[in-house]
Amino acid sequence: MLFNRGSTCGGCFELRCVDHILWCLQGSPSVILTATDFCPPNFGLPTDYGGWCNFPQEHFEMSEAAFAEIAGLHADIVPVQYRRVKCHRNGGMRFTVSGNSHYYQVLITNVGLDGEVVAVKVKGSRTGWIPMARNWGQIWQCNINLEGQPLSFEVTTSSGKTLTSYNVASGNWRFGQTFEGKQF
C-alpha cells in the first residue's frame, strides 16, 4: 500500500514503536528508513499474522539493525507510528546504467530531499532530452542507443524540484557502471 506500485521507492520514513510496553524501547526512539523493496502479498495467510503485506495493509519490513533501534529483538511484529521525512544523503545522486544497445536502463539511488523520483530525462551528446519511462521502483528506461555519448540526467522529485546533472558519464561509459551527479 505504501510502496505505491514502486513510486515510493527511495522515499524516507521516520518510524517509532508505539503502544506495546513489552516490545517498544523505553522513550520510544525513532529510526529513519528508506523504502527500498516491495512487500509481496500472501493471500493464503491471515492479515494479522503472515499476510501483513496483503492489500490494504501498510507494512515496513526492516533490517535487524533498524528494528533494534525501536524495539527489543525478541519482538516479532510491533505496532508503529510513521511519517514521511526528508532524505538526508551524503554525496550526489547515483546513476547505475544497464541494458544493451537497443534498451537502456538507469537505476537512480541516493536521492536527497523527498527521495521519490517521479520523472527522468536523459541526454546524450548526439540527442536532445529524452523522457524515460518508469520500469519499476527507481529503475527508468528508454529504447535508444546511447553508447559512445557522454550522458546527462534531469531528475524531478515528487515535490516538483528538478535537478540537472550534466555529463555525469563520459563517452566511454559501460553498462554496469555507476556514476555520481548533483544532489538536491
Side-chain angles (χ1 to χ4, degrees):
M1 185 77 176
L2 288 171
F3 202 60
N4 197 19
R5 302 172 70 124
S7 68
T8 307
C9 187
C12 295
F13 293 85
E14 181 180 21
L15 276 74
R16 74 177 72 251
C17 181
V18 295
D19 301 330
H20 205 288
I21 196 164
L22 294 176
W23 295 338
C24 298
L25 295 182
Q26 192 170 18
S28 193
S30 66
V31 64
I32 301 214
L33 304 175
T34 301
T36 59
D37 203 357
F38 174 66
C39 182
N42 184 346
F43 296 111
L45 296 173
T47 57
D48 60 344
Y49 197 84
W52 45 75
C53 298
N54 296 348
F55 182 82
Q57 296 286 93
E58 295 174 343
H59 171 75
F60 290 93
E61 186 77 23
M62 301 169 62
S63 70
E64 185 175 302
F67 190 82
E69 294 284 323
I70 64 169
L73 287 178
H74 62 280
D76 187 8
I77 300 170
V78 299
V80 296
Q81 179 182 65
Y82 67 91
R83 66 183 179 134
R84 283 293 299 264
V85 295
K86 289 189 182 197
C87 299
H88 300 285
R89 305 291 190 211
N90 292 321
M93 278 186 284
R94 295 193 182 91
F95 303 91
T96 303
V97 295
S98 61
N100 59 49
S101 61
H102 304 289
Y103 180 77
Y104 176 80
Q105 283 186 313
V106 62
L107 168 63
I108 303 173
T109 56
N110 202 50
V111 180
L113 199 57
D114 52 10
E116 190 176 328
V117 177
V118 297
V120 177
K121 293 180 183 177
V122 63
K123 181 184 182 318
S125 59
R126 296 186 302 266
T127 71
W129 286 102
I130 301 163
M132 300 185 81
R134 183 187 307 274
N135 179 293
W136 180 253
Q138 293 308 331
I139 300 173
W140 297 81
Q141 68 185 40
C142 64
N143 296 328
I144 191 161
N145 186 349
L146 295 167
E147 289 181 289
Q149 302 177 59
L151 300 177
S152 301
F153 294 96
E154 181 182 278
V155 176
T156 303
T157 65
S158 60
S159 62
K161 305 270 190 221
T162 299
L163 185 65
T164 305
S165 295
Y166 292 99
N167 299 316
V168 169
S170 65
N172 63 351
W173 63 267
R174 298 286 174 253
F175 293 115
Q177 290 181 308
T178 300
F179 304 96
E180 190 169 325
K182 292 181 180 178
Q183 185 59 269
F184 285 98

